[in-house]
Amino acid sequence: PTHHHPFPMPPPPPSMAPSALPSRTSHRHSLRSQAPPPPREATVPCCVSRRRAAAQLLLSAGLLTAVSSSPPALAARRGRRTIAPEDYASTPDGLKYYDLIEGKGPTAEKGSTVQVHFDCIYRSITVVSSREAKLLAGNRSIAQPYVFTVGSLPGKERKRDFADTANGLFSAQASPKPPRAMYMITEGMKVGGKRRVIVPPDLGYGKKGQGEIPADASFELDIELLEVIPPTDS
């Protein structure tokens, strides 16, 4: 005879169900799949200074050119002509010059009072210029032509009284001191002309130098003749 249990047997708990117990192999596989990926190599940005970063921005914008160019290329970019050494003429005193522009006005003769602009260039850098005459009152700069007598002793015209003008209190010869060669080489130029001169140390700034021009150094001198007052008959 079949015996029936008076009470039905309860189902096994879910934790004991065979399907709820993963195998050790599947457990290891899940742990391996959940493992974090290996760390990537950290990229350390290169330290760039502010000046270099600004230069890179200007280079990308086309506003700055490389500074590794040769001096002739630098002069060409600044609008200055590069003259070959064999193209220069020589004076009896040994000064070498080249007329960049032939003037068409009156000629500067010995004893004439002339008005010029001059620039002393050393290694493609303008060191001394009448276009940057310094005011004694204030920090402004003005382009004041230089006035002197052709063939006179250098520096004689600089001993003048101060003059009070609308620009402020400044010397009548506020421009920097020109080299000796300028008093000699201006003779023969015509108004409107521009002349470039190779100035040797003995006709330049000698053993003292001037600003960034060192002692016993040669440099280029650019002269622009603005006006000529003929010598008086006396």
Side-chain angles (χ1 to χ4, degrees):
T2 304
H3 298 279
H4 298 280
H5 201 278
F7 300 99
M9 292 295 292
S15 60
M16 298 299 293
S19 59
L21 295 175
S23 64
R24 292 181 180 180
T25 304
S26 62
H27 181 66
R28 286 196 299 268
H29 178 73
S30 62
L31 290 177
R32 191 178 299 125
S33 62
Q34 295 177 2
R40 297 180 179 179
E41 293 184 1
T43 58
V44 180
C46 178
C47 297
V48 181
S49 65
R50 294 183 179 179
R51 182 177 299 177
R52 184 176 179 182
Q56 290 175 350
L57 289 175
L58 292 175
L59 281 170
S60 62
L63 300 178
L64 186 65
T65 54
V67 296
S68 59
S69 304
S70 59
L74 181 64
R77 286 201 305 271
R78 293 181 176 178
R80 297 185 67 247
R81 288 181 56 186
T82 302
I83 311 302
E86 60 270 16
D87 292 337
Y88 283 86
S90 296
T91 66
D93 299 320
L95 277 176
K96 295 182 178 181
Y97 69 95
Y98 181 89
D99 285 323
L100 301 168
I101 297 177
E102 294 280 354
K104 297 182 179 180
T107 302
E109 301 175 355
K110 188 174 182 179
S112 300
T113 300
V114 296
Q115 190 178 75
V116 302
H117 267 313
F118 71 92
D119 302 281
C120 298
I121 299 100
Y122 179 71
R123 294 187 176 180
S124 300
I125 299 175
T126 301
V127 178
V128 182
S129 176
S130 62
R131 304 175 197 276
E132 297 179 358
K134 303 298 183 182
L135 292 174
L136 295 182
N139 296 323
R140 296 172 295 167
S141 296
I142 59 173
Q144 182 189 6
Y146 199 87
V147 180
F148 67 98
T149 301
V150 178
S152 65
L153 295 175
K156 182 179 179 181
E157 72 285 342
R158 298 179 64 85
K159 299 177 182 179
R160 298 186 181 180
D161 296 332
F162 294 107
D164 191 6
T165 68
N167 291 326
L169 183 64
F170 68 95
S171 171
Q173 290 292 80
S175 299
K177 179 182 177 181
R180 286 181 54 198
M182 192 175 77
Y183 296 81
M184 306 159 54
I185 201 63
T186 311
E187 184 177 357
M189 289 184 66
K190 294 183 179 181
V191 172
K194 294 183 180 181
R195 179 171 289 183
R196 180 165 298 168
V197 188
I198 303 299
V199 182
D202 58 328
L203 295 177
Y205 294 109
K207 297 187 177 298
K208 293 184 178 180
Q210 179 75 18
E212 287 81 4
I213 300 177
D216 296 325
S218 299
F219 56 91
E220 293 179 345
L221 170 66
D222 284 358
I223 306 172
E224 180 182 3
L225 184 57
L226 305 175
E227 185 180 355
V228 172
I229 303 175
T232 58
D233 295 333
S234 58

